[in-house]
Amino acid sequence: MQRRRTGTIAVVSALGMTAVLGGCGLTGDSDGVTLKLVAADYGDSKDSSSQKYWDELAESYEAQNPDVRVDVTVYSWNDVDRKVRELVDAGEAPDMAQIGAYSDYADQDLLYRADDVLSVPAQADFVPQLAAAGQVNGVQYGLPFAASTRVLFYNKTLFERAGVRPPKSWDDLAEAAEALKEKGAKYPYALPLGAEEAQAETMQWMLSGGGGYTDDVGTYAVDSPQNATTFTWLRDELVGKGLTGPVAPGKLDRADAFAAFAAGDVGMLNGHPSLMKTASDKGVKYGMVTTPGVDGESKNTLGVSDWMTAFKKNGHQKEIGDFLDFVYSEENVLDFSREYNLLPVTTSASRTMSAAPEDENLKPFLDELLLSELYPVGKTSWAEVSADVKKHIGEAVAPGRDPKEVLGRIQATAMRAGSAE
């Protein structure tokens, strides 16, 4: 099968994974139905492009279903959401799109429901937290496609030099950061609240302090007392004491923090599975522990998912459903997860991976997935709120700033955006 790809622009997905621009998919004609799929690229080079995964998957499916052709176009994460939006606005929606968000399309009644296209066993196999995050008003439209969680990474060499143990609580973390600073660590704790992925670091810290973006009934609570306490502690105990490195948190992007960790300059930071390979490739000896919380290990962690969506436009409900059942088979979910060091989105694949020796390095993340909380992606307002967090949250930990005031402004944005839903 001939494969075509274009470009090599490094970008970042909703999971925070580095990705590279792919290209157009399968070629040829068919007398039957042609399903058009637009997908995101999770590879970090041409050789690891997701185009290869989809080409092989489509070829395997077509061999079993000769009357269906699957035409796949892979774009970088920098482009894929925009490309799908352009297609939808032009009245040329694909049959399926594997992208970073779904709620806007669901709100416009452009998507099939999960139970319109998936078999009952396939739909029931989704990890419950991920399936719930794919719902709008109690109905699932977003099909989780790839997942990730966060744990605290620490540099074993720097920790040994400073004579400290991995932290379990905020106080432990602050004490370790002080010791790391005394021994010359450039970034005792890397706090990336820059625009690239500030919403993730923010939520991780909110959860560790008993808060979050929303309350127990799903109402925005950005300026809750718990969140205000969390960011006041960060300002006073880490940033104000010079324990977060030479770059102001509001200017430090996740990719730069990861690169600094891989260079051996970071003592601790919150990270996802891709950091394991990045650090190992650079020879960094690292360990991973549950994110520290205010009084001990955090009871919740950040979970992130990218999404598969099925559009109604072309009316291929039956064919879409059959292909997606194939996509979400245990074998195919495992193949994709292992290829890109991501967490499987189905219970069956998670169970297999948890017991497999070859996946032992992902077990800490798999364990955290069961305790994870996802962004409020079912709210159409979330995109606007997330953008406001990326723009302003760094101010909440800046010396001399009032975290309550900054959180209050973001809350006002959230309430205004939410009122339009």
Side-chain angles (χ1 to χ4, degrees), residues 311-382:
F311 285 87
K312 297 178 179 179
K313 174 68 176 178
N314 302 317
H316 297 146
Q317 180 178 352
K318 179 181 181 299
E319 292 82 5
I320 291 171
D322 190 63
F323 177 67
L324 288 179
D325 272 7
F326 180 75
V327 168
Y328 284 106
S329 69
E330 181 178 343
E331 178 184 359
N332 289 328
V333 171
L334 284 170
D335 283 349
F336 180 85
S337 301
R338 287 168 171 161
E339 176 69 22
Y340 296 106
N341 267 330
L342 292 168
L343 304 185
V345 297
T346 61
T347 301
S348 59
S350 296
R351 188 181 301 118
T352 297
M353 189 174 275
S354 293
E358 66 185 283
D359 301 309
E360 185 177 1
N361 61 341
L362 285 173
K363 194 172 188 311
F365 299 95
L366 286 164
D367 292 342
E368 291 294 318
L369 186 60
L370 299 177
L371 304 172
S372 67
E373 184 173 326
L374 280 74
Y375 302 127
V377 289
K379 293 178 175 291
T380 57
S381 57
W382 170 240

Side-chain angles (χ1 to χ4, degrees), residues 105-130:
Y105 298 124
D107 188 58
Q108 298 171 58
D109 195 30
L110 299 178
L111 301 180
Y112 286 118
R113 299 159 49 122
D115 56 9
D116 286 335
V117 289
L118 290 178
S119 66
V120 171
Q123 188 178 359
D125 198 25
F126 286 129
V127 172
Q129 289 93 329
L130 303 180

